[in-house]
Amino acid sequence: MNNRPAFELYLQEITEQITNELKEILPAEWDVPQSLRDAMQYSLMAGGKRLRPLLVVAAAEAFGAERQAALPVACAVEMVHTYSLIHDDLPAMDNDDYRRGKLTNHKVFGEATAILAGDALLTHAFYSIVQAGRKSGVSAESLLSIVEDLSELAGARGMVGGQVADMEGEQGLTNLEQLQYIHLHKTGDLIVFSLIAGARIGGATQGQLEALRVFGRDLGLAFQIQDDILDLTGDEQKMGKKTQSDVNQQKVTYPFFIGLEQSQEQVSVLTQSAKDALGRADLTDSSRLMEIADYLMRRDH
Amino acid sequence: MNNRPAFELYLQEITEQITNELKEILPAEWDVPQSLRDAMQYSLMAGGKRLRPLLVVAAAEAFGAERQAALPVACAVEMVHTYSLIHDDLPAMDNDDYRRGKLTNHKVFGEATAILAGDALLTHAFYSIVQAGRKSGVSAESLLSIVEDLSELAGARGMVGGQVADMEGEQGLTNLEQLQYIHLHKTGDLIVFSLIAGARIGGATQGQLEALRVFGRDLGLAFQIQDDILDLTGDEQKMGKKTQSDVNQQKVTYPFFIGLEQSQEQVSVLTQSAKDALGRADLTDSSRLMEIADYLMRRDH
């Protein structure tokens, strides 16, 4: 039985709903300086994969929650992801002129506005979380836990810490543990957040939250290793960016440390252990999350 | 009767408590990259006036709340204020090498780390708000409203919007309304936040929150006009920075538009209307907030 078309329709539907919800969150009539709104909007609408918001929605639905209740939190995580990309691309960091085939934020709006647009997106993410309660009756206790999770997983001990380690690593990583720290925090923590935020909206127990945390950690690491692999072996057309950039920038990756074949093996092993953790969580319906795990492992861009 | 010594002891005591609480919030054994923690710590401990956290504590106490309950939120607002200074000082923005007589964050830690330290401080502020509930039993509903207020007043419609307008204004402000917009948002909104956050911790009614909002708005504007005046007339020794910097940077200020004397008059008028609003709020004890208003108007640095 092949259910990929149904799954792809599902992805497309959610992506559209998230994009619509993001438009509502920064309405055209918002009373903020025009350049700031434009800069925030530009990067939010620059055509990302919307993986993190998808995970929020899929996790919430796996617990039987209404999709509507999950959308504001899904938008919050996309805003955090987007701010992190804007700041990462800055001249003082990765100094990238293009992302997803479009000029980076600071190339269009200037550095100062790009920094501030990032700051405003991060701040607005927390606003969006509160709106999940105002709009859909998620309890204040759950929302406060989501705020706490985001502030930990996107902060110094999470995503930002991973980015600092990545920057410092450019002077030379010496072992796989350092690389794993970067992957787990820079990419993984926001994926973990997405899953447990969705789970909280769905009323997960502590045990279920822990299972989702393991699922997210293993899935996130598999995702990042797959990224390392695709940078080596991927099709530039499909990727929408130059491949071999890691090699050219002398970035240390999983294939660098353990070779391509073992890296591919790691992706399989981690995906399987992620799915095993999910299987133990006793969800209302885990099928979409399982499909997402397979989809990420299979992807070619 | 002269009660200034008692008031100054009060200021000193609170400032010390806030500094101690801030140290606890970034503990030495925190498992984050060392450079990131150092950079966050450096600017947090660079010796600011602690005005905003003082307002949180004073507002909470004016409603009869325990000081302990207010301290985590007081630290949150100081982290937000500190992040905004770090980002404002960056080469892409004001390009300042010194603040309060010390090297700015990016001069010590480099631009990339400074940007990320700012991001991490902003993120950690939200963590600190949640801790007010974990530590002192402030209700989840109140804390969520504090998160919402901060995300609005520090975000695109608040402080960040004011900063964008300020940057754009450097190309030439043409009227007092534009300058007022900048002052109200860039400085004022975080002062408003501090007061209503304290009030929420103290269990304020909607009417009392509105009164505190007006108090904060007028006090914040008076504070900023006083800053403009001190930059023209202040003593460099007391200020700990060069005066006349606005004139030298061709920054448009209140004295530029309406003259020194009328600006001083405005500070008095706004301070009085702030105090009138406070008088209408029917607080348990408004005396400290009244003293703070007078103190800010009288200050010479």
Side-chain angles (χ1 to χ4, degrees):
Chain A
M1 198 185 87
N2 182 347
N3 61 356
R4 280 180 70 173
F7 179 66
E8 273 161 24
L9 276 176
Y10 164 81
L11 288 188
Q12 196 188 331
E13 183 186 287
I14 293 193
T15 307
E16 279 171 19
Q17 287 174 334
I18 288 161
T19 302
N20 288 337
E21 183 86 8
L22 283 170
K23 282 182 190 155
E24 272 181 43
I25 278 177
L26 304 181
E29 65 281 11
W30 213 28
D31 57 338
V32 310
Q34 188 64 36
S35 58
L36 178 62
R37 188 184 163 281
D38 289 348
M40 294 168 79
Q41 177 97 350
Y42 176 81
S43 292
L44 265 184
M45 297 300 158
K49 285 188 284 282
R50 310 289 191 214
L51 167 64
R52 292 153 193 83
L54 166 69
L55 291 173
V56 177
V57 170
E61 290 185 334
F63 285 88
E66 294 292 325
R67 185 173 299 175
Q68 207 53 40
L71 285 177
V73 177
C75 290
V77 73
E78 189 68 1
M79 285 191 269
V80 172
H81 177 57
T82 302
Y83 116 76
S84 78
L85 300 181
I86 295 174
H87 283 191
D88 282 10
D89 287 336
L90 287 167
M93 307 249 224
D94 290 350
N95 194 20
D96 280 319
D97 291 352
Y98 290 91
R99 175 175 290 276
R100 298 168 190 148
K102 295 182 74 172
L103 284 170
T104 47
N105 199 290
H106 65 272
K107 295 304 282 183
V108 179
F109 298 96
E111 261 186 78
T113 302
I115 294 168
L116 292 165
D119 294 344
L121 283 167
L122 169 57
T123 311
H124 206 55
F126 289 95
Y127 182 80
S128 194
I129 291 172
V130 179
Q131 298 320 302
R134 302 268 180 271
K135 283 184 179 172
S136 310
V138 183
S139 77
E141 275 299 346
S142 294
L143 292 174
L144 211 58
S145 295
I146 292 173
V147 167
E148 188 175 27
D149 291 340
L150 182 59
S151 64
E152 282 219 75
L153 292 163
R157 296 214 294 180
M159 185 183 74
V160 172
Q163 172 65 6
V164 170
D166 191 23
M167 259 170 34
E168 292 177 347
E170 282 166 21
Q171 278 102 60
L173 288 182
T174 54
N175 61 55
L176 191 64
E177 278 85 62
Q178 291 173 321
L179 181 62
Q180 204 181 56
Y181 178 92
I182 294 168
H183 283 353
L184 282 175
H185 293 291
K186 184 175 169 170
T187 320
D189 278 344
L190 214 52
I191 287 175
V192 170
F193 168 76
S194 303
L195 290 159
I196 60 177
R200 285 192 192 279
I201 291 166
T205 64
Q206 278 304 322
Q208 289 173 319
L209 288 172
E210 277 320 302
L212 267 282
R213 201 181 279 274
V214 174
F215 175 69
R217 190 197 60 200
D218 289 353
L219 190 74
L221 191 52
F223 175 81
Q224 192 56 51
I225 298 172
Q226 182 74 349
D227 246 27
D228 287 356
I229 294 169
L230 286 171
D231 186 79
L232 264 184
T233 66
D235 181 318
E236 291 199 359
Q237 207 91 64
K238 284 182 185 154
M239 303 274 290
K241 63 178 179 186
K242 286 225 173 302
T243 55
Q244 310 264 340
S245 67
D246 293 338
V247 180
N248 294 335
Q249 291 173 39
Q250 299 187 289
K251 270 210 156 175
V252 169
T253 64
Y254 256 72
F256 173 88
F257 278 120
I258 61 174
L260 191 57
E261 209 169 305
Q262 269 215 53
S263 297
Q264 284 162 334
E265 173 68 17
Q266 272 294 304
V267 173
S268 296
V269 168
L270 285 164
T271 303
Q272 190 54 52
S273 77
K275 289 167 71 179
D276 290 346
L278 194 63
R280 290 191 300 272
D282 195 21
L283 305 183
T284 309
D285 179 5
S286 64
S287 58
R288 289 302 189 200
L289 287 173
M290 293 285 187
E291 283 177 293
I292 291 169
D294 286 329
Y295 166 77
L296 290 178
M297 186 175 66
R298 270 199 324 262
R299 78 200 158 97
D300 56 10
H301 65 282
Chain B
M1 198 185 87
N2 183 347
N3 62 354
R4 282 179 70 173
F7 178 66
E8 273 162 23
L9 276 175
Y10 164 81
L11 288 188
Q12 196 188 330
E13 183 186 286
I14 293 192
T15 307
E16 279 172 19
Q17 287 174 337
I18 289 161
T19 302
N20 287 338
E21 183 86 8
L22 283 169
K23 282 181 191 155
E24 272 182 43
I25 278 178
L26 304 181
E29 66 281 10
W30 212 29
D31 57 337
V32 309
Q34 188 65 37
S35 58
L36 178 61
R37 187 185 164 279
D38 289 347
M40 294 169 78
Q41 177 98 349
Y42 176 81
S43 291
L44 264 185
M45 296 301 159
K49 286 189 282 283
R50 310 289 191 214
L51 168 63
R52 292 153 193 81
L54 166 69
L55 291 173
V56 177
V57 170
E61 292 186 331
F63 285 88
E66 294 291 324
R67 186 173 298 174
Q68 209 53 40
L71 284 177
V73 177
C75 289
V77 73
E78 189 69 0
M79 285 190 268
V80 172
H81 176 58
T82 302
Y83 116 76
S84 77
L85 299 181
I86 295 174
H87 283 191
D88 282 9
D89 287 337
L90 288 167
M93 307 249 226
D94 290 351
N95 194 21
D96 279 319
D97 292 352
Y98 289 92
R99 176 174 291 276
R100 298 169 188 150
K102 295 181 75 172
L103 284 170
T104 47
N105 199 290
H106 64 273
K107 294 304 283 184
V108 179
F109 298 95
E111 261 185 78
T113 303
I115 293 167
L116 292 165
D119 294 344
L121 282 168
L122 169 57
T123 311
H124 205 55
F126 289 95
Y127 182 79
S128 194
I129 291 173
V130 179
Q131 298 320 302
R134 301 269 180 269
K135 282 183 178 173
S136 310
V138 183
S139 78
E141 275 298 346
S142 294
L143 292 174
L144 212 56
S145 294
I146 292 173
V147 167
E148 187 175 27
D149 291 339
L150 183 60
S151 64
E152 282 220 72
L153 291 163
R157 295 214 295 178
M159 185 183 73
V160 172
Q163 172 66 6
V164 170
D166 190 22
M167 259 170 36
E168 292 178 347
E170 283 166 20
Q171 277 104 59
L173 289 181
T174 54
N175 62 54
L176 191 64
E177 278 84 64
Q178 291 174 320
L179 180 61
Q180 205 181 57
Y181 178 92
I182 294 168
H183 283 355
L184 282 175
H185 293 292
K186 183 175 172 172
T187 321
D189 279 343
L190 214 52
I191 287 175
V192 169
F193 168 76
S194 303
L195 290 160
I196 61 177
R200 286 193 193 279
I201 291 166
T205 64
Q206 277 305 321
Q208 289 174 319
L209 287 172
E210 276 321 301
L212 267 282
R213 201 180 278 275
V214 174
F215 175 69
R217 191 197 61 201
D218 290 352
L219 191 73
L221 192 51
F223 176 81
Q224 193 54 53
I225 299 173
Q226 182 73 348
D227 248 25
D228 286 356
I229 293 170
L230 286 171
D231 187 80
L232 264 184
T233 66
D235 180 319
E236 291 198 358
Q237 206 92 61
K238 285 182 184 156
M239 303 274 290
K241 65 178 178 186
K242 286 224 173 303
T243 56
Q244 310 264 340
S245 67
D246 292 339
V247 180
N248 294 335
Q249 290 173 38
Q250 300 187 291
K251 269 210 157 175
V252 168
T253 63
Y254 257 72
F256 173 88
F257 278 121
I258 60 173
L260 191 57
E261 209 169 308
Q262 269 215 52
S263 297
Q264 284 163 333
E265 174 68 17
Q266 272 294 305
V267 173
S268 296
V269 167
L270 285 164
T271 303
Q272 190 54 51
S273 77
K275 289 168 72 178
D276 290 347
L278 194 63
R280 290 192 299 272
D282 196 21
L283 306 183
T284 309
D285 178 5
S286 64
S287 58
R288 289 302 190 200
L289 288 173
M290 293 285 187
E291 283 178 293
I292 291 170
D294 286 329
Y295 166 78
L296 291 178
M297 185 176 69
R298 269 199 323 261
R299 78 201 158 97
D300 56 10
H301 65 283

